[in-house]
Amino acid sequence: MLMKSLHLLSSSSILHRFASRSIASLSSLPRRRNRVRTHNPSFYCPFPSVLSRPISSGKVLAMADETSSSTSSTSQKHTNRLATEHSPYLLQHAHNPVDWYPWGEEAFEEAKRRDVPIFLSIGYSTCHWCHVMEVESFEDEEVAKLLNDSFVSIKVDREERPDVDKVYMSFVQALYGGGGWPLSVFLSPDLKPLMGGTYFPPNDNYGRPGFKTLLKKVKDAWDSKRDTLVKSGTYAIEELSKALSANAGADKLSDEISRTAVSICAKQFSRSYDSEFGGFGSAPKFPRPVEIQLMLYHSKKLKESGKTSEADENQSMILFSLQGMANGGMHDHIGGGFHRYSVDECWHVPHFEKMLYDQGQLANIYLDGLIITKDVMYSYVARDILDYMRRDMIAPEGGIFSAEDADSFEFEGAKGKKEGAFYIWTSDEIDEVLGENADLFKEHYYVKKSGNCDLSSRSDPHNEFAGRNVLIERNELSAMASKFSISTEKYQEILGECRRKLFDVRLKRPKPHLDDKIIVSWNGLVISSFARASKILKAEPESTKYYFPVVNSQPEDYLEVAEKAALFIRENLYDEQSRRLQHSYRQGPSKAPAFLDDYAFLISGLLDLYENGGAVTWLKWAIELQETQDELYLDREGGAYFNTQGQDPSVLLRVKEDHDGAEPSGNSVSAINLVRLASIVAGDKAESYLNTAQRLLAVFELRLRELAVAVPLMCCAADMISVPSRKQVVLVGSKSSAELNNMLSAAHSVYDPNKTVIHIDPSSSEEMEFWEEHNSNVAEMAKNRNSEKVVALVCQHFTCSPPVFDSSALTRLLSK
């Protein structure tokens, strides 16, 4: 109910009333929607952010220092407290003339001692408009003097402290109807919000005050109307606290909503479907994987109920959208992986940063595409994403990094960075690198001498990419091969070799900044995709050929990546004694404890790791983590999970998040985790998991009923819990057996979200002890095995199929 509650607050003018009282003296300040050209996962719906390029940044902007070891003139002149931090984002600001503090008691006490307001700036290291505001304002001596004289200035990395970000983003969004990063908020010394916004240009322009004017007005208001400001801030937090911590009205979700939530959500998505380019809604277009998951789930339900034509129509929307994203410029055709989003409606010109949470989720939905269609186009894209991460995003120890920046230098020694400089091409560059194959490549990827960012008026409104090309595929491979009078296979070989040559040239360009934080929640999403790929990709025909940037890894290699990432988290971010996680790692664990998403996403990843052939150790750990999650975050009286432990007095709101945006909500993922765990264990523990999930969903019944599109994954969870009996595929056999590996692949070769795969090796005392404790029925199946062959049983409604002994028989059984 988070976003619905904020909408009610906004529309009922509760916050607008306090706003009018608190900033009456600031009436000339802009009440503005988000103008940040950056990712905005928390507020994708129902408040779509205005994320096109509203401000021309065609001029070259000198960007922030990348590390604390920078030798620029700015770093030699100034050093502030952020220089001792580990966050890449905070280090980028360590040599600003602004006297920055990190979030903490030192800053709070200084604001109280000086009796001045706090200026809080929140962003992250790969945020384009965060860089712009730094260059324009935070590196400016005049702005720094205004901030240093009249405020205590605090910098927060929203990826390190999502709990702090949630408090003040909720305030800004409820007050102004939009949000984004950089987030700029003014606080009282006791941390109550006074007013805020997103990006502010330094100087007055277009009838709007700039940041310098804003600072002066806020100081004047603090001096003359302090009581009104503080009272309004207190009132805002009180109202937000009520809105963001709903309680269940019943012990379970109503049967009506359980049965209808998925279809209601799918119908709402269908109304916004773009039949020309794919996707849902208009520009900017985000790859929101939870939408795809919901629609695929709905198609499966339609087929099961005999509505084949409706199911096919529904599925075709998804497959066309997946193809559109893969063909578009949002997909990095040269190096693999996906950029954050497309600024236009045709998936062409992206915002160029690459976020880890996108890669993990997108790989999973393309794997689903392969399962459903058996079309290797989907496995190619999934491999392309996974191989990009293996190449560029994984630490030697196994943890997986967070993001790559949108901005980079055009050449060594350039004074400033430009967005997309690493990824875009001129026609002449392609001619020089590719020689005789240049014409073929340019026609395939719509490369033009004048630049190709002309497919939409939204693609490049300020002509920033004149003469530059963002690669996009607009023609069928077979048609293009025919045009050049060569076989399709030969055509693909040429394209692959061209991409390799361009990749090698691109490596010589200055690379975008890499945020090498390792975040538990995002690693959980990626562990899931690598684990699933290790079995699903075995369904590819043996004759399948792939071309660069895919490196033709064996599927088993992906399982190793997933296990190394999980092991890194266990060894570096998990306390075996307290059984608690830390949120992130960079040069050591972060100060922040883990949040709900860290537990929920990691548990989900561990369940996928186990179900796809990982050791029972990962399943044990998932159960342990669920116990800790319940201890730290579960509202046992009101139902559902809070996003924080509630032990940090500086975090003023404890939120029950439900919105499934660019990242799913911790509550949606937790509901599905609980259903999955209940199908693995037996007895009272299984019943407890289901009761917790039922009560969780009941908290968000109004949300599911009135705004299902905001919670698509929770809609899936609501349906899952209504399924009378989840299907269990039980495999019994030696872990060293190649046939068990084949059986696991067969078990995952059929799309069925309401299926659990259990595997047990009777010769392993550890496994037998685990199943004796948690599900004696599974242990009995292992004991009763009558042959040395691997045995598979499919169980549902308290009965099991006759055993099958080969993978093809299992596939046929699951396909019925």
Side-chain angles (χ1 to χ4, degrees):
M1 293 174 63
L2 170 61
M3 298 299 293
K4 181 66 176 176
S5 300
L6 290 180
H7 175 68
L8 292 174
L9 277 171
S10 179
S11 62
S12 64
S13 298
I14 292 173
L15 289 186
H16 287 275
R17 286 201 299 274
F18 90 71
S20 64
R21 293 197 302 269
S22 66
I23 59 173
S25 63
L26 306 179
S27 58
S28 63
L29 295 179
R31 294 168 65 94
R32 57 209 307 274
R33 294 182 65 81
N34 180 26
R35 299 179 67 185
V36 185
R37 192 171 186 276
T38 178
H39 84 288
N40 194 4
S42 298
F43 303 109
Y44 181 95
C45 175
F47 295 121
S49 301
V50 181
L51 295 174
S52 57
R53 293 187 185 84
I55 301 170
S56 175
S57 56
K59 62 181 180 179
V60 180
L61 296 173
M63 291 301 163
D65 296 332
E66 298 294 358
T67 68
S68 58
S69 62
S70 171
T71 58
S72 72
S73 58
T74 302
S75 65
Q76 293 171 344
K77 188 174 181 181
H78 301 283
T79 299
N80 56 53
R81 294 167 186 80
L82 302 185
T84 61
E85 296 294 308
H86 288 173
S87 157
Y89 178 62
L90 299 189
L91 290 172
Q92 285 173 350
H93 294 264
H95 302 294
N96 297 161
V98 177
D99 188 17
W100 291 114
Y101 287 76
W103 182 265
E105 285 300 322
E106 183 185 6
F108 310 152
E109 290 302 320
E110 180 66 7
K112 291 172 185 174
R113 185 188 69 79
R114 290 175 51 196
D115 195 26
V116 295
I118 290 168
F119 170 65
L120 173 64
S121 177
I122 302 177
Y124 56 101
S125 76
T126 58
C127 163
H128 172 74
W129 286 102
C130 300
H131 298 331
V132 173
M133 192 166 179
E134 178 188 11
V135 171
E136 292 179 338
S137 292
F138 304 144
E139 290 185 352
D140 183 88
E141 299 281 355
E142 182 182 353
V143 171
K145 180 169 174 51
L146 290 170
L147 283 168
N148 295 342
D149 288 350
S150 302
F151 302 88
V152 167
S153 300
I154 298 178
K155 261 287 171 194
V156 167
D157 182 341
R158 55 97 38 188
E159 293 171 356
E160 268 198 338
R161 294 301 303 261
D163 53 340
V164 176
D165 178 65
K166 174 61 66 178
V167 173
Y168 300 107
M169 186 67 80
S170 296
F171 166 78
V172 168
Q173 191 194 21
L175 187 58
Y176 300 114
W181 296 278
L183 186 66
S184 305
V185 191
F186 295 91
L187 317 178
S188 63
D190 62 352
L191 308 181
K192 303 297 192 306
L194 307 177
M195 66 156 294
T198 55
Y199 162 84
F200 291 98
N203 300 306
D204 300 352
N205 208 348
Y206 304 111
R208 293 174 177 269
F211 191 52
K212 295 172 188 176
T213 300
L214 173 65
L215 293 175
K216 293 170 184 175
K217 285 183 174 287
V218 173
K219 179 188 183 302
D220 291 344
W222 178 255
D223 291 340
S224 61
K225 300 181 183 292
R226 180 180 312 187
D227 289 345
T228 301
L229 286 171
V230 172
K231 286 179 183 177
S232 297
T234 302
Y235 181 71
I237 289 297
E238 289 172 352
E239 293 302 314
L240 284 168
S241 182
K242 292 175 189 175
L244 303 181
S245 56
N247 294 325
D251 286 337
K252 60 175 289 189
L253 188 65
S254 70
D255 291 341
E256 175 208 353
I257 296 299
S258 285
R259 290 193 308 269
T260 61
V262 166
S263 60
I264 290 171
C265 187
K267 286 176 184 176
Q268 292 173 350
F269 279 137
S270 297
R271 286 197 288 269
S272 66
Y273 175 65
D274 181 347
S275 59
E276 184 176 3
F277 299 108
F280 301 94
S282 57
K285 279 187 175 171
F286 287 76
R288 191 184 177 206
V290 288
E291 295 175 345
I292 307 292
Q293 288 177 269
L294 180 284
M295 296 295 278
L296 290 177
Y297 189 103
H298 182 50
S299 294
K300 172 76 171 173
K301 282 178 63 69
L302 289 170
K303 285 183 180 177
E304 289 172 347
S305 61
K307 299 177 180 178
T308 306
S309 61
E310 192 177 341
D312 290 344
E313 181 182 352
N314 190 78
Q315 186 171 293
S316 69
M317 296 182 196
I318 297 308
L319 300 180
F320 184 63
S321 299
L322 290 175
Q323 290 162 6
M325 288 194 294
N327 292 339
M330 196 179 71
H331 181 200
D332 180 1
H333 297 279
I334 301 301
F338 278 78
H339 299 297
R340 182 63 200 95
Y341 65 84
S342 170
V343 303
D344 51 48
E345 68 277 13
C346 45
W347 303 110
H348 184 201
V349 179
H351 175 44
F352 288 90
E353 69 182 329
K354 289 181 174 178
M355 305 302 296
L356 185 65
Y357 56 77
D358 281 328
Q359 314 309 323
Q361 293 180 92
L362 286 167
N364 264 335
I365 58 175
Y366 280 98
L367 289 170
D368 288 338
L370 172 65
I371 295 172
I372 292 165
T373 67
K374 312 306 178 187
D375 184 340
V376 295
M377 184 282 286
Y378 298 97
S379 59
Y380 171 86
V381 180
R383 283 178 174 271
D384 161 295
I385 297 166
L386 298 170
D387 290 345
Y388 153 68
M389 288 191 283
R390 292 181 72 195
R391 183 186 299 120
D392 291 344
M393 299 296 285
I394 299 181
E397 301 80 11
I400 307 174
F401 300 139
S402 297
E404 287 191 297
D405 209 329
D407 304 331
S408 58
F409 295 104
E410 286 190 287
F411 51 86
E412 294 292 345
K415 292 183 178 179
K417 296 182 179 180
K418 285 187 176 180
E419 184 175 8
F422 185 71
Y423 299 103
I424 57 180
W425 301 89
T426 66
S427 178
D428 289 345
E429 284 176 318
I430 291 173
D431 287 336
E432 182 179 347
V433 175
L434 301 184
E436 63 179 0
N437 290 322
D439 287 342
L440 179 150
F441 184 89
K442 289 195 294 185
E443 184 160 357
H444 184 85
Y445 287 107
Y446 187 59
V447 173
K448 299 163 64 178
K449 186 79 171 177
S450 59
N452 73 352
C453 300
D454 55 3
L455 295 177
S456 166
S457 60
R458 296 174 178 267
S459 298
D460 190 21
H462 299 289
N463 212 29
E464 297 174 56
F465 298 138
R468 302 293 193 271
N469 294 271
V470 178
L471 304 184
I472 180 172
E473 296 181 279
R474 304 182 69 208
N475 300 294
E476 290 289 335
L477 273 171
S478 57
M480 292 296 293
S482 176
K483 180 174 181 176
F484 283 89
S485 302
I486 54 179
S487 69
T488 300
E489 183 175 333
K490 181 63 176 176
Y491 186 80
Q492 289 177 301
E493 287 178 4
I494 292 171
L495 285 179
E497 187 56 36
C498 288
R499 288 192 295 266
R500 185 186 297 275
K501 288 179 179 179
L502 290 172
F503 178 83
D504 290 341
V505 169
R506 202 172 78 171
L507 280 181
K508 298 174 184 176
R509 296 175 176 177
K511 288 201 72 174
H513 158 68
L514 171 69
D515 188 323
D516 56 356
K517 282 197 311 297
I518 296 167
I519 297 174
V520 170
S521 57
W522 298 0
N523 272 247
L525 295 172
V526 172
I527 287 168
S528 170
S529 61
F530 275 107
R532 295 183 72 230
S534 73
K535 296 300 173 287
I536 292 170
L537 291 176
K538 291 179 77 67
E540 297 168 323
E542 289 186 12
S543 60
T544 302
K545 291 184 179 180
Y546 290 118
Y547 308 96
F548 193 85
V550 172
V551 297
N552 285 316
S553 302
Q554 292 300 309
E556 292 80 7
D557 296 342
Y558 294 132
L559 186 67
E560 182 181 346
V561 174
E563 290 185 317
K564 281 189 71 175
L567 187 61
F568 178 89
I569 293 170
R570 178 131 199 175
E571 292 181 346
N572 294 279
L573 289 164
Y574 183 65
D575 186 315
E576 297 282 355
Q577 260 47 58
S578 67
R579 303 209 304 185
R580 296 188 180 192
L581 291 164
Q582 295 296 110
H583 172 61
S584 63
Y585 183 98
R586 186 175 189 271
Q587 299 174 1
S590 64
K591 300 172 188 174
F595 305 103
L596 172 63
D597 288 1
D598 295 308
Y599 284 89
F601 295 5
L602 179 57
I603 290 167
S604 179
L606 292 174
L607 291 177
D608 282 330
L609 182 50
Y610 166 73
E611 287 197 44
N612 285 276
V616 76
T617 305
W618 303 121
L619 181 53
K620 283 184 185 177
W621 193 27
I623 291 170
E624 284 180 14
L625 289 171
Q626 188 63 56
E627 291 172 359
T628 305
Q629 179 182 317
D630 290 353
E631 174 192 341
L632 298 177
Y633 305 96
L634 181 61
D635 182 353
R636 296 191 180 275
E637 292 186 7
Y641 294 96
F642 291 107
N643 65 331
T644 65
Q645 298 176 25
Q647 297 176 343
D648 186 342
S650 72
V651 180
L652 304 184
L653 294 176
R654 202 175 183 209
V655 175
K656 292 179 183 177
E657 178 68 86
D658 65 348
H659 180 239
D660 297 319
E663 298 172 63
S665 79
N667 272 299
S668 295
V669 175
S670 293
I672 294 174
N673 289 345
L674 291 165
V675 172
R676 294 176 70 182
L677 286 166
S679 72
I680 292 172
V681 303
D684 291 344
K685 197 158 194 172
E687 195 67 25
S688 175
Y689 286 143
L690 289 176
N691 289 339
T692 302
Q694 283 280 16
R695 194 157 172 76
L696 182 161
L697 292 167
V699 170
F700 304 109
E701 176 153 346
L702 182 63
R703 183 75 151 146
L704 289 161
R705 187 186 299 273
E706 296 189 358
L707 200 61
V709 288
V711 287
L713 197 63
M714 192 170 287
C715 290
C716 294
D719 188 87
M720 286 179 183
I721 208 163
S722 71
V723 173
S725 177
R726 190 174 174 89
K727 188 180 294 181
Q728 294 171 309
V729 182
V730 182
L731 308 176
V732 182
S734 170
K735 284 294 171 62
S736 60
S737 164
E739 185 54 31
L740 180 65
N741 201 34
N742 292 335
M743 283 285 207
L744 280 166
S745 298
H748 293 285
S749 66
V750 176
Y751 177 77
D752 187 354
N754 285 302
K755 173 185 67 188
T756 297
V757 178
I758 293 169
H759 50 91
I760 179 170
D761 185 344
S763 66
S764 167
S765 58
E766 179 188 13
E767 291 193 30
M768 292 300 292
E769 287 171 11
F770 173 86
W771 290 109
E772 288 281 11
E773 178 185 353
H774 291 91
N775 193 330
S776 59
N777 291 330
V778 173
E780 285 299 314
M781 291 180 190
K783 289 177 184 176
N784 293 334
R785 187 179 67 153
N786 294 321
S787 73
E788 292 303 310
K789 289 185 176 181
V790 177
V791 177
L793 302 102
V794 178
C795 305
Q796 197 170 19
H797 303 297
F798 307 105
T799 60
C800 295
S801 67
V804 295
F805 299 94
D806 68 81
S807 55
S808 58
L810 177 59
T811 300
R812 288 194 298 271
L813 182 60
L814 292 172
S815 299
K816 288 183 179 179

